[in-house]
Amino acid sequence: MRPAETLSLAQARRMALGAQGFGDERLGAHGRRVDRRHVHRVLDRVDLVQIDSVNVVVRSQEMPLFARLGPHPRDLWPRLAAGAEVFEYWCHEASLLPVGHWPLIQWRMEQAHDDMWGGMRSIARTRPGYVEAVYDEVRDRGPLTAGQLSEPGLRREGMWGRTDGKNALEYLFWIGRLTARRNPTTFARRYDTVERAIPAAVRAMAVPSRGDAQRALLERAARAHGIATDRCLADYHRLNLPASRPLIAELVEEGRLVPVVVTGWDRPTYRHVDAVLPRWVRARALLSPFDSVVWERRRTEELFGFRYRIEIYVRREERVHGYYVMPFLLGDRLVARVDLKADRTDAALRVKAAFGEPGTDEGEVAAALAAELHLMAGWLGLDRLTVDPLGDLAPALGAVV
């Protein structure tokens, strides 16, 4: 039996970043045109992009493109959705996926009733006739938002209170009878029938078995990671880890995954057979809190020595670094974190706090971060960049800005 391939932590880091597209040319940062083809290139690397409603700086699905491609037309995602090139579904949370993935997630739609939230299960059980009426209305009048239904129902109390109409639409979305596209301005889902929104050629594709589909998703996760533990492979598309382990073993047996040892790691680790080890990674990028590079927190800490927590969901008085904190990637390291806000009223990109990582060159990091922030401000159409005096990196960053 051959000994497992051994990689240093630095090699693992470069392999992971290369797989995520950070070894590719960042066209928009060099003033070159970015179009839909380049979005597909990013999707080919990362496989799916998480979306989120928080708009403190920019919608989270726009940031992976900016991080990898630089400034680009901000209507690219809506254009891809309108052209039926991508679709939204629950995969790694709410996600945008290439339309060719439609057959790969049919098993999840079939088991959706077990996964969905209580309000959606309840409406299907207690008002099945109403659910069918909602489907018929979308079919006949769609695409529609929940508020455009002829009988949306009363909104229930509470932060997550929904109307019966919204619950019915979400139930139909989860089980795959409806799909949805986002309103670019309000972010609301506009629901439509699968027959109208998903191309006939895609709907006619063979649907793999649950096991085959999950094995395909695990291999795609391996391609997107370059190198990963079994937990990371399963987490990428939110698969069950114990059920994934036999499928990972099959991928090893087929030669699609190669067991490796990373210095300092003590868990089963694999690289994709096609993973490339770059000689260097010369990236410069701000990462959304929902970027796939930082999805799995233990991986982020093991690869980069960077302990990261999304503090949006933390009470203000308990936050350490701020509300909407973006890690800053420079070269192949996460070297800083900045709490950002796009102040659209004042046309300013505001750095509310900036913190450097231990062992980094403060001047080098501040200069590179300032250049990236100016690039982002220009992309967002903001005229000014301001730095508040909070965080150990703030003085150096303010001096450069």
Side-chain angles (χ1 to χ4, degrees), residues 75-350:
D75 65 347
L76 282 177
W77 282 125
R79 282 161 54 191
L80 263 69
E85 298 172 61
V86 296
F87 71 100
E88 179 183 342
Y89 194 67
W90 295 103
C91 202
H92 186 100
E93 305 302 327
S95 306
L96 290 169
L97 301 97
V99 73
H101 281 35
W102 183 259
L104 291 178
I105 49 101
Q106 296 304 301
W107 64 272
R108 181 163 274 160
M109 293 176 176
E110 292 170 2
Q111 72 170 37
H113 196 274
D114 297 328
D115 297 335
M116 67 178 60
W117 303 324
M120 288 170 267
R121 282 198 300 269
S122 176
I123 196 71
R125 184 180 66 254
T126 61
R127 302 189 66 189
Y130 176 72
V131 173
E132 285 303 311
V134 166
Y135 174 82
D136 290 345
E137 186 169 1
V138 173
R139 180 195 61 203
D140 297 340
R141 294 182 51 220
L144 300 175
T145 64
Q148 292 172 325
L149 291 172
S150 58
E151 295 184 28
L154 296 176
R155 181 178 296 278
R156 288 170 169 76
E157 295 182 0
M159 179 178 178
W160 300 107
R162 289 174 163 176
T163 64
D164 278 358
K166 179 63 173 177
N167 277 327
L169 288 167
E170 285 292 293
Y171 172 78
L172 292 163
F173 175 82
W174 272 64
I175 66 172
R177 289 187 65 193
L178 295 180
T179 186
R181 296 169 185 161
R182 298 281 180 168
N183 181 304
T185 304
T186 66
F187 202 64
R189 278 178 174 151
R190 299 180 72 239
Y191 300 86
D192 202 357
T193 62
V194 170
E195 290 74 20
R196 279 197 295 257
I198 303 297
V202 173
R203 289 185 279 112
M205 293 169 64
V207 175
S209 68
R210 176 191 177 104
D212 286 346
Q214 292 186 357
R215 186 166 51 247
L217 291 173
L218 287 165
E219 183 177 354
R220 289 179 178 277
R223 288 183 68 246
H225 277 106
I227 186 169
T229 66
D230 54 358
R231 180 177 297 276
C232 293
L233 293 177
D235 178 72
Y236 205 76
H237 297 94
R238 291 292 200 246
L239 304 179
N240 176 272
L241 178 57
S244 295
R245 285 178 171 139
L247 302 176
I248 291 171
E250 291 177 14
L251 290 169
V252 172
E253 183 68 24
E254 295 167 7
R256 304 307 298 163
L257 299 185
V258 179
V260 297
V261 173
V262 176
T263 304
W265 291 12
D266 60 358
R267 296 183 288 161
T269 304
Y270 309 88
R271 69 166 176 84
H272 191 271
V273 65
D274 297 329
V276 174
L277 176 58
R279 292 181 62 189
W280 53 73
V281 173
R282 294 170 175 163
R284 192 191 78 191
L286 286 160
L287 303 179
S288 157
F290 305 102
D291 193 292
S292 48
V293 170
V294 293
W295 274 348
E296 222 280 336
R297 301 299 184 234
R298 181 172 174 179
R299 174 181 174 84
T300 303
E301 188 166 354
E302 288 179 340
L303 270 178
F304 300 100
F306 189 91
R307 182 169 294 182
Y308 185 48
R309 183 186 191 190
I310 297 180
E311 298 186 80
I312 293 172
Y313 312 110
V314 177
R315 289 186 297 181
R316 182 191 297 270
E317 61 272 19
E318 296 178 358
R319 292 177 192 143
V320 176
H321 297 107
Y323 179 74
Y324 200 76
V325 176
M326 293 190 180
F328 180 49
L329 174 66
L330 185 63
D332 65 353
R333 302 299 301 268
L334 295 177
V335 297
R337 60 190 89 204
V338 287
D339 184 17
L340 290 179
K341 177 180 176 61
D343 186 341
R344 297 170 181 89
T345 302
D346 200 33
L349 181 61
R350 181 181 173 188

